[in-house]
Amino acid sequence: MTESRQRFYHLTTFGCQMNEHDSERIRGVLEEDGWMPAVEPDDADLLLFNTCSVRESAVSRLRGRLGEARRLKNEKPERLIGLAGCFAQNRKVEIFRDMPFLDLAFGPQNIADLPALLDSAESGSGQSGSFSDNDFLSAALPARRKIKYRAWVQAMTGCTNFCSYCVVPSVRGPERSRSARDIIEEVKRLVDDGVIEITILGQNVNSYGLDRDPGTADRVSFADLLMKLDAIEGLRRIRFMTSHPKDLGNDLVEAMRDLPKVCEHLHLPVQSGANRILDRMKRGYSREHYLELVENLYEQIPGVSLTTDIIVGFPGEKEEDFYRTMTLAAECQFDGAFTFMYSRRDGTAAADLPGRLPDATVKRRMHELVSLTQQIALVKNEAIIGEPVEVLIEGPSSRGDGLRGRTRQNKVVNYVAGASVKNKAEGCFTTVTIDSATSTTLKGRQACD
Ligand code: 5AD
Ligand code: SF4
């Protein structure tokens, strides 16, 4: 750093956990470069947005926030505005023309270039960007984590599935897996640093390793990677996401069943319950295959919780297709479902499909699906009432009258700590007996420990 005055940044993150994790690297790179986090955008010299372009709703929220950033820049013109992430990458050609107030922009694979972009912006050489699709995995960059006991670990980047609605393959590039050795070393370092729970990230973890040279000794399957991670002393919980139904093998189900640290929760996006729509989405599996996977999961892994993603109103979705999604949701008894209204993305195969549905139809279907999936989630959560569950303590509950933690099944538990109970610290384990439930949370009291 050449400046003598302390400089402050403010970072806002949109989108998925991969983006949250990239933001940890952005913070790491900035802080290594001498920047400090500002509490409010008002106090910052750099307003940075890590963007998402998976759905239009994230882009609209970004536009709102950029309006505010422009006002702040008008107040103090030397303030810098930067865009990172998928939206920036996706609009790399026109972004500086469309947004003349931007000082810098870079894609998800160019976080390492941030100090150089800032130098160039500060020296007054105009707008600067970095969008090369290099093979560099940001995993090697420094990261600033907000939570001491929990960490994300990137196993792979990109996606090669090209589901017809999805912008991810074109913005994040093809699937590339990190070597198992690198991942294990990173997890060991994190554990030495106090981490007890990791979440392994990849767009499709089930195909982890398949892109690596078959000749290398380091090419292992995802189930084998989990086995190696499970052996790391000091680590207590392992989570992973996202799984793809077309590539989910029984070896992974067995790993979840047999490895003590691997938590009993699977996020398995189904997207639709109708074969006609799954075909048009290019998902590569059928409704029947998905139902078989789910049956096998429930059979083999006692107490497993299952969550999913569903898109409503895909082009050409007929009423009968939608009801297939409803009956699939009822059969699968999901513990939670993230439901999205189809959002047309430029450059995707589905963007040109005929059969766009009226908004009112999509909203009505969405409403029906949400009320069904909430009802199911409530019944599943109520089934836990009376049981003791292991909870990793995360801090005070949002209402502030107790504590909050998470079960192995990834369910949030709010509870009242017993007066005589010692164990109340964030990052510690405790046992809570569940007294009541909603569709999204459990409530209970701490057993003696
Ligand atoms: N429209 C609506 N939802 C989408 N998703 C991805 N692309 C779109 C789109 N164009 C959803 C999928 C995916 C989740 C991360 O976002 O359900 O699993
Ligand atoms: Fe998108 Fe499909 Fe890849 Fe998921 S698996 S990121 S939905 S293309």
Side-chain angles (χ1 to χ4, degrees):
M1 195 180 110
T2 47
E3 294 251 326
S4 53
R5 189 180 64 80
Q6 182 60 60
R7 294 169 307 170
F8 291 89
Y9 73 91
H10 189 273
L11 174 63
T12 308
T13 307
F14 297 88
C16 64
Q17 294 187 336
M18 198 67 94
N19 252 24
E20 292 283 353
H21 187 41
D22 283 348
S23 281
E24 293 182 338
R25 310 244 176 247
I26 292 173
R27 282 192 200 95
V29 167
L30 282 172
E31 289 177 31
E32 197 130 289
D33 200 40
W35 290 78
M36 294 261 288
V39 181
E40 299 295 336
D42 263 29
D43 308 324
D45 305 290
L46 165 66
L47 299 169
L48 197 55
F49 298 87
N50 192 8
T51 62
C52 167
S53 62
V54 161
R55 284 174 296 277
E56 192 55 33
S57 53
V59 177
S60 312
R61 275 184 292 126
L62 169 69
R63 290 193 196 281
R65 296 297 304 274
L66 280 176
E68 184 193 331
R70 285 176 76 177
R71 260 196 319 281
L72 290 173
K73 193 176 169 78
N74 284 341
E75 274 171 21
K76 190 174 147 192
E78 65 275 23
R79 215 171 233 150
L80 301 177
I81 302 182
L83 290 192
C86 293
F87 175 81
Q89 180 76 30
N90 206 23
R91 303 288 172 97
K92 63 182 175 188
V93 179
E94 66 275 19
I95 196 165
F96 288 126
R97 189 199 61 213
D98 290 355
M99 299 184 179
F101 56 87
L102 270 192
D103 297 287
L104 56 131
F106 55 99
Q109 282 156 78
N110 307 94
I111 299 171
D113 298 335
L114 181 50
L117 295 176
L118 283 166
D119 273 354
S120 152
E122 286 184 313
S123 67
S125 21
Q127 298 177 305
S128 53
S130 176
F131 303 103
S132 56
D133 182 13
N134 56 34
D135 228 12
F136 176 79
L137 290 180
S138 56
L141 296 174
R144 285 286 174 284
R145 290 185 291 110
K146 283 188 181 156
I147 299 173
K148 190 159 173 46
Y149 56 89
R150 200 169 62 188
W152 288 300
V153 176
Q154 193 180 354
M156 54 212 294
T157 181
C159 182
T160 314
N161 290 315
F162 289 99
C163 300
S164 63
Y165 50 81
C166 187
V167 84
V168 168
S170 66
V171 284
R172 289 204 178 241
E175 217 160 83
R176 277 148 296 170
S177 302
R178 283 172 74 196
S179 89
R181 198 173 350 104
D182 283 359
I183 296 172
I184 292 162
E185 273 169 19
E186 182 183 349
V187 175
K188 283 183 177 161
R189 274 199 308 277
L190 288 167
V191 170
D192 286 345
D193 204 31
V195 166
I196 52 174
E197 176 179 303
I198 55 162
T199 303
I200 305 167
L201 296 178
Q203 302 294 348
N204 177 7
V205 292
N206 308 117
S207 56
Y208 167 77
L210 299 180
D211 58 299
R212 293 183 68 81
D213 183 352
T216 46
D218 208 25
R219 186 188 200 252
V220 302
S221 69
F222 189 63
D224 285 343
L225 177 68
L226 287 179
M227 196 171 67
K228 288 171 193 281
L229 294 173
D230 194 78
I232 295 176
E233 217 172 301
L235 186 62
R236 296 281 300 270
R237 285 180 172 183
I238 302 172
R239 304 186 183 281
F240 57 88
M241 70 189 312
T242 295
S243 293
H244 195 305
K246 89 178 158 56
D247 300 313
L248 178 75
N250 205 46
D251 59 340
L252 180 60
V253 180
E254 283 167 0
M256 288 180 73
R257 181 193 66 196
D258 298 338
L259 298 173
K261 293 175 189 169
V262 177
C263 292
E264 296 77 23
H265 168 229
L266 190 72
H267 184 62
L268 194 63
V270 65
Q271 313 297 2
S272 169
N275 285 335
R276 213 173 61 80
I277 299 298
L278 288 171
D279 266 4
R280 284 164 78 93
M281 289 178 165
K282 304 231 172 311
R283 289 288 289 173
Y285 56 86
S286 64
R287 170 195 176 95
E288 292 72 29
H289 180 70
Y290 189 90
L291 288 172
E292 262 170 42
L293 289 176
V294 169
E295 195 183 336
N296 182 40
L297 275 166
Y298 281 135
E299 223 171 78
Q300 294 207 46
I301 310 170
V304 71
S305 86
L306 181 67
T307 55
T308 199
D309 292 343
I310 300 173
I311 298 176
V312 174
F314 188 78
E317 184 187 76
K318 296 184 185 153
E319 205 61 20
E320 66 208 55
D321 298 321
F322 171 65
Y323 277 98
R324 292 211 164 88
T325 300
M326 293 282 278
T327 55
L328 177 128
E331 271 191 62
C332 291
Q333 294 285 296
F334 293 117
D335 291 84
F338 298 92
T339 45
F340 307 106
M341 290 191 254
Y342 170 71
S343 172
R344 181 186 177 281
R345 309 317 286 145
D346 275 341
T348 59
D352 302 324
L353 285 179
R356 288 298 300 277
L357 298 173
D359 275 1
T361 308
V362 182
K363 281 192 183 135
R364 195 252 306 147
R365 288 182 188 169
M366 179 82 171
H367 187 73
E368 282 186 39
L369 182 63
V370 168
S371 76
L372 174 69
T373 52
Q374 281 179 346
Q375 235 172 296
I376 295 169
L378 175 64
V379 171
K380 287 205 78 175
N381 283 347
E382 282 176 342
I384 309 169
I385 292 176
E387 285 191 26
V389 292
E390 181 200 81
V391 166
L392 174 56
I393 304 171
E394 291 184 350
S397 59
S398 44
R399 286 226 195 111
D401 55 351
L403 290 168
R404 196 181 95 116
R406 211 171 275 266
T407 68
R408 285 175 64 92
Q409 286 77 10
N410 209 30
K411 293 180 188 272
V412 172
V413 180
N414 291 306
Y415 65 94
V416 183
S420 61
V421 183
K422 296 183 295 293
N423 208 353
K424 295 175 184 169
E426 209 174 299
C428 291
F429 287 95
T430 190
T431 306
V432 172
T433 307
I434 302 305
D435 290 327
S436 63
T438 69
S439 62
T440 51
T441 52
L442 302 170
K443 218 167 171 184
R445 69 211 124 83
Q446 196 169 20
C448 289
D449 57 1

